[in-house]
Amino acid sequence: MSDSQLRILTLPGWNGSGPEHWQSRWEQQHGFQRVEQHDWQQPLRGDWMIQMEEAVLSSETPVVLVAHSLGCHLVAAWAAHSRQAHKVQAALLVAPADLDISLLQSLHSWHNMVLQPLPFASTVLASSDDVWCSLERAAWLASAWGSTLVDIGPCGHINSESGLGDWPQGLQQLQDLIARSTPVA
């Protein structure tokens, strides 16, 4: 998948995405660009938002976001505060984490989830057996963000442990989202 008219940015979640993660594979195979963070283990929302802002600002073409887990919340927080959200054409939000789960309470700067509609087209892909977010909570997040929800069945947290490999079904969801989203003027 290559579209020289778009810049596709990947936004991994907490602890980043390792080499077997579908995000890493898509970066290698399709030239998508990762938004690197200063600290993947101790994520600070403000710091992550600055890194994302710089990545979007540096783009001369419209941007499509591909987020996983905590990266989905990064998209929501960034979009609520940035004056650059108009540069984003669409966002694929995969396996958003439920930040109210007790284990995730250590992510102090992320406690107040941003729950307002995104100003661009978005799709949430959720698994029916994700230990980090029930399908019901994923539906709630999708509704709050104004996103289309797609239940992809039992795929765990939709990460490298899910054994998805290159994950062509996810790539098709991304292509479908881009095709139905309105190009940025």
Side-chain angles (χ1 to χ4, degrees), residues 5-60:
Q5 301 300 94
L6 293 173
R7 181 173 183 204
I8 300 181
L9 298 175
T10 61
L11 303 155
W14 190 19
N15 296 318
S17 294
E20 295 304 313
H21 195 286
W22 56 267
Q23 278 184 319
S24 300
R25 289 171 176 249
W26 289 4
E27 291 161 7
Q28 292 173 347
Q29 295 169 5
H30 306 288
F32 299 173
Q33 298 174 317
R34 177 172 295 195
V35 175
E36 291 291 345
Q37 299 298 342
H38 293 123
D39 192 338
W40 293 105
Q41 284 70 44
Q42 302 290 323
L44 298 174
R45 184 164 64 182
D47 184 48
W48 280 33
M49 288 171 60
I50 290 169
Q51 295 301 106
M52 184 173 168
E53 181 81 357
E54 289 178 2
V56 172
L57 273 171
S58 71
S59 182
E60 296 179 11

Side-chain angles (χ1 to χ4, degrees), residues 53-168:
E53 181 81 357
E54 289 178 2
V56 172
L57 273 171
S58 71
S59 182
E60 296 179 11
T61 60
V63 173
V64 172
L65 307 172
V66 179
H68 180 257
S69 194
L70 189 60
C72 300
H73 292 280
L74 170 60
V75 170
W78 174 84
H81 293 93
S82 177
R83 293 184 180 186
Q84 303 305 314
H86 67 277
K87 295 179 92 174
V88 175
Q89 180 172 322
L92 186 68
L93 307 170
V94 180
D98 182 350
L99 298 182
D100 288 337
I101 292 176
S102 61
L103 183 60
L104 296 178
Q105 293 298 320
S106 63
L107 301 176
H108 302 293
S109 66
W110 298 86
H111 280 181
N112 295 324
M113 288 185 281
V114 176
L115 302 170
Q116 63 189 56
L118 297 172
F120 38 78
S122 60
T123 297
V124 170
L125 301 184
S127 167
S128 59
D129 65 350
D130 188 342
V131 298
W132 295 110
C133 187
S134 69
L135 192 55
E136 293 76 22
R137 286 290 280 191
W140 175 72
L141 288 167
S143 177
W145 293 334
S147 305
T148 300
L149 175 70
V150 177
D151 173 359
I152 65 165
C155 291
H157 192 48
I158 317 176
N159 56 12
S160 54
E161 287 78 33
S162 300
L164 299 171
D166 296 340
W167 198 31

